């Protein structure tokens, strides 16, 4: 697993961030999905194709297995009705052009797993199992049994607009309308920074808003500067800052001891560091190395070398410290 995958999964696994994403998707930002009511599940999706029989050890040669990014069980209360649902998130740093098929497989396997688990439980604990109807006995799924709904959300951690198909039908191109009426469709749910409006962003209540907003404007220095300047919300948790750093390659310093990161200050410090190293002022590293070499050979004093690049002696020492120590 790459570093980017690691930091995005760790961040989205946090219950408050996970809940925020689904409250945006399903409930227009209203706090319906409660972080306290989320329970993480095994992300391994295993299913037996219908008609396959489990062996005595519970295994089968016909097992189908896939791995989701994150899957959680949620209890949602809405309009005096309790709903038990499964929520999954797929993190995508790159655009995936077959995402509808991929997500459809995950969801199908999860429903298959629910059927298989229900059947296994009936066979194990229901003494009247063999007295059920032939249809219930063969499937292991009773007439009164129900499935828990599964909702899968794709979060695109990229600044470029998602231009991949959003549905199975889109992947099939232009087809006969009469025929397509009988072909089942499958659509993906997507959060894509490039397509979100300022109104959309305000529906997020956690640091996910700042992460998505930073990614959205990461290629526009003027707009990025605008959202950073004087923005009190840019004091974000460490995990959010790590996602921003990894996704946008922003070379900010993030200490392991800091729980909160002031992004405005972190970026100011980064720019100051770059300026000190001559990256902004146009001083080439090669030029600095040449001056250091002259100092080490005794042809120039440090004061003279610093003057050549319009630096103080102290700044010149700081910038070239590693070079001066080289043998």
């Amino acid at each position: 697993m790459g570093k980017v995958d690691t930091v995005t999964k760790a961040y989205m696994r946090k219950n408050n961030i996970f809940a925020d994403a689904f409250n945006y998707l399903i409930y227009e930002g209203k706090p319906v999905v409660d972080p306290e009511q989320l329970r993480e599940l095994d992300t391994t999706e295993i299913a037996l194709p219908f008609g396959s029989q489990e062996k005595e050890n519970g295994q089968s040669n016909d097992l189908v297995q896939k791995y989701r990014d994150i899957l959680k069980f949620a209890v949602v209360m809405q309009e005096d009705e309790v709903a038990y649902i499964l929520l999954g998130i797929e993190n995508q740093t790159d655009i995936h052009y077959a995402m509808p098929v991929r997500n459809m497989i995950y969801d199908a396997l999860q429903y298959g797993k629910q059927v298989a688990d229900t059947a296994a439980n009936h066979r194990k604990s229901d003494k009247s199992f063999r007295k059920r109807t032939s249809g219930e006995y063969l499937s292991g799924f009773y007439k009164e049994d129900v499935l828990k709904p599964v909702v899968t959300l794709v979060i695109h951690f990229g600044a470029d607009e998602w231009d991949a198909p959003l549905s199975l039908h889109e992947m099939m191109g232009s087809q006969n309308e009469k025929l397509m009426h009988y072909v089942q469709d499958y659509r993906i749910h997507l959060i894509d920074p490039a397509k979100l409006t300022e109104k959309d962003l305000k529906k997020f209540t956690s640091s996910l808003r700042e992460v998505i907003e930073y990614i959205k404007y990461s290629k526009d220095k003027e707009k990025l500067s605008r959202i950073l300047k004087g923005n009190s919300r840019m004091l974000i948790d460490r995990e959010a800052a790590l996602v921003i750093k990894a996704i946008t390659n922003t070379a900010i310093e993030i200490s392991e001891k800091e729980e909160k990161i002031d992004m405005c200050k972190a970026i100011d410090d980064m720019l100051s560091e770059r300026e000190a190293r001559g990256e902004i002022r146009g001083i080439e590293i090669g030029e600095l190395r040449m001056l250091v070499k002259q100092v080490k050979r005794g042809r120039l004093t440090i004061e003279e070398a610093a003057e050549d690049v319009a630096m103080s002696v102290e700044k010149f020492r700081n910038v070239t410290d590693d070079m001066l120590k080289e043998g």
Side-chain angles (χ1 to χ4, degrees):
M1 186 186 299
K3 182 178 180 181
V4 173
D5 289 334
T6 301
V7 297
T8 54
K9 284 184 182 180
Y11 178 62
M12 292 310 306
R13 184 168 280 122
K14 297 177 66 176
N15 278 359
N16 66 314
I17 307 299
F18 189 96
D20 196 23
F22 279 99
N23 281 327
Y24 164 81
L25 176 72
I26 305 174
Y27 302 109
E28 293 291 314
K30 295 177 182 177
V32 177
V33 178
D34 183 356
E36 298 296 325
Q37 295 294 324
L38 291 173
R39 178 166 57 86
E40 188 145 358
L41 302 175
D42 184 2
T43 59
T44 308
E45 306 287 23
I46 302 176
L48 276 169
F50 294 113
S52 300
Q53 295 297 317
E54 291 185 59
K55 296 181 179 179
E56 290 183 2
N57 61 3
Q59 298 298 312
S60 167
N61 294 330
D62 298 322
L63 282 176
V64 178
Q65 183 169 310
K66 293 287 182 181
Y67 298 91
R68 284 180 181 265
D69 281 347
I70 308 168
L71 183 67
K72 293 179 185 280
F73 172 75
V75 180
V76 176
M77 173 69 76
Q78 188 178 21
E79 298 177 355
D80 297 325
E81 184 177 326
V82 178
Y84 301 93
I85 57 177
L86 299 179
L87 304 174
I89 282 182
E90 292 300 306
N91 303 309
Q92 283 298 127
T93 52
D94 296 314
I95 297 171
H96 195 301
Y97 290 91
M99 206 70 203
V101 171
R102 179 175 164 181
N103 278 14
M104 181 174 64
I105 291 172
Y106 285 143
D107 290 353
L109 286 177
Q110 174 53 228
Y111 287 126
K113 183 176 185 296
Q114 289 186 46
V115 171
D117 288 348
T118 300
N121 185 59
H122 287 327
R123 292 188 180 100
K124 181 179 179 180
S125 59
D126 188 356
K127 294 180 180 179
S128 64
F129 177 70
R130 293 183 179 277
K131 297 180 181 180
R132 287 280 178 164
T133 65
S134 59
E136 290 175 316
Y137 177 75
L138 288 173
S139 66
F141 201 78
Y142 296 170
K143 184 178 180 179
E144 64 269 21
D145 287 333
V146 294
L147 294 172
K148 295 181 181 65
V150 180
V151 181
T152 298
L153 168 62
V154 178
I155 300 185
H156 179 213
F157 286 98
D160 295 328
E161 185 173 327
W162 184 279
D163 61 356
L166 297 176
S167 72
L168 197 61
H169 278 191
E170 287 180 35
M171 292 183 66
M172 296 176 186
S174 179
Q175 297 285 348
N176 178 273
E177 186 177 343
K178 184 176 180 64
L179 169 66
M180 294 304 289
H181 176 75
Y182 294 94
V183 178
Q184 297 290 353
D185 198 6
Y186 179 92
R187 298 191 62 83
I188 68 170
H189 304 296
L190 175 71
I191 291 179
D192 185 28
K195 293 180 181 177
L196 297 187
T197 65
E198 294 294 331
K199 184 179 179 180
D200 291 330
L201 289 168
K202 289 179 180 178
K203 294 176 184 177
F204 295 97
T205 59
S206 71
S207 61
L208 187 57
R209 179 197 300 184
E210 285 65 53
V211 169
I212 293 174
E213 190 174 26
Y214 193 104
I215 292 171
K216 177 180 176 67
Y217 297 121
S218 59
K219 293 186 177 181
D220 188 326
K221 292 182 179 179
E222 185 177 333
K223 288 185 177 179
L224 186 59
S225 177
R226 177 175 58 82
I227 68 165
L228 286 169
K229 190 174 182 180
N231 186 348
S232 61
R233 285 187 59 94
M234 276 296 170
L235 180 65
I236 58 179
D237 50 275
R238 184 173 180 275
E239 291 86 350
L242 286 172
V243 171
I244 288 174
K245 179 177 181 177
I247 296 295
T248 64
N249 293 315
T250 304
I252 54 176
E253 292 294 326
I254 301 176
S255 169
E256 292 186 4
K257 296 180 181 179
E258 294 179 279
E259 293 184 3
K260 292 287 184 179
I261 306 296
D262 185 336
M263 287 298 295
C264 302
K265 182 178 183 303
I267 290 174
D268 283 343
D269 290 346
M270 176 194 72
L271 294 176
S272 297
E273 177 74 10
R274 284 184 175 179
E275 183 174 2
R277 291 183 178 277
E279 293 176 13
I280 291 176
R281 299 178 68 254
I283 299 172
E284 298 290 338
I285 296 298
E287 182 182 351
L288 289 173
R289 288 190 179 278
M290 181 189 70
L291 289 171
V292 168
K293 189 179 291 185
Q294 297 298 316
V295 170
K296 292 171 76 173
R297 290 178 177 175
R299 296 174 182 174
L300 284 176
T301 64
I302 285 185
E303 289 76 12
E304 291 170 333
E307 185 178 351
D308 280 352
V309 288
M311 286 185 181
S312 68
V313 174
E314 181 182 2
K315 182 177 286 189
F316 184 85
R317 284 184 183 277
N318 289 338
V319 171
T320 62
D321 182 57
D322 291 338
M323 300 179 194
L324 289 167
K325 291 178 182 178
E326 291 176 358

